[in-house]
Amino acid sequence: MARCARHSLRQLLFVLRNVLPPSVLKEAGEAIALDPDQVHVDAIELESLVRTGTPSALTRATGLYRGDLLAGLGQQSVAYEEWLLSERERVRELALEAFVRLLAHHVESGAIQPAIHAATRLLGLEPTHEAAHRTLMRLHARQGRRGARGAALRQY
């Protein structure tokens, strides 16, 4: 088992060395890592932006989230699948937090159209989010334009 794992690691390193610039892989003794200054990981950026919490950071965070982490990745080992499932849920929760906080900001600042957009995206991610449904109904009603009342009723 260990021999097979070492062989797989050697093969992977060979492929990585051929496709990545030489400065990306950092090797020190038996340790191998990716240089974080040379690699962009959107999930890490999303986490950082949500932690920052400013409206512009939250807007960027919601723009980064496009669905499940590593969606479409083929079947992996059981341990990897367990890790991936928990990471997907963690990143999804971060995205939900970003949408909820951004929605609250837009509502507080009176930005109706951006609030409607944030609420709609939030509901696309979490269709059972009752507070977002209520907020969206109120936003439609507050628009005051023709058809807004009907949009609020359809949302209900």
Side-chain angles (χ1 to χ4, degrees):
M1 179 84 135
R3 204 157 94 175
C4 182
R6 269 193 300 273
H7 177 71
S8 294
L9 178 61
R10 274 195 300 274
Q11 285 182 316
L12 176 61
L13 287 172
F14 177 78
V15 170
L16 289 174
R17 285 185 183 115
N18 285 317
V19 297
L20 296 174
S23 58
V24 173
L25 279 179
K26 297 292 181 186
E27 299 179 45
E30 297 212 1
I32 301 167
L34 295 173
D35 183 350
D37 295 331
Q38 306 238 1
V39 177
H40 175 259
V41 180
D42 56 358
I44 292 171
E45 183 179 358
L46 178 104
E47 185 172 8
S48 175
L49 291 167
V50 172
R51 200 174 320 118
T52 300
T54 64
S56 64
L58 294 170
T59 299
R60 287 181 30 224
T62 59
L64 279 175
Y65 189 79
R66 292 188 188 97
D68 285 343
L69 178 69
L70 299 173
L73 187 66
Q75 189 72 6
Q76 303 294 316
S77 70
V78 173
Y80 185 80
E81 290 291 331
E82 288 173 2
W83 171 84
L84 183 56
L85 184 63
S86 67
E87 278 302 293
R88 277 182 178 155
E89 186 59 28
R90 186 183 71 79
V91 171
R92 185 176 185 282
E93 289 297 321
L94 282 169
L96 282 170
E97 179 183 345
F99 279 111
V100 167
R101 291 170 61 191
L102 185 61
L103 174 58
H105 165 73
H106 288 318
V107 168
E108 288 170 17
S109 67
I112 294 176
Q113 278 310 120
I116 288 172
H117 179 71
T120 303
R121 294 241 5 244
L122 170 59
L123 290 169
L125 182 59
E126 182 57 59
T128 61
H129 198 285
E130 288 186 38
H133 280 288
R134 285 192 304 272
T135 300
L136 191 52
M137 285 185 275
R138 285 187 199 108
L139 289 166
H140 283 306
R142 281 177 47 194
Q143 279 184 309
R145 57 172 227 256
R146 188 177 184 118
R149 189 176 180 108
L153 288 171
R154 280 190 301 280
Q155 188 62 40
Y156 175 75

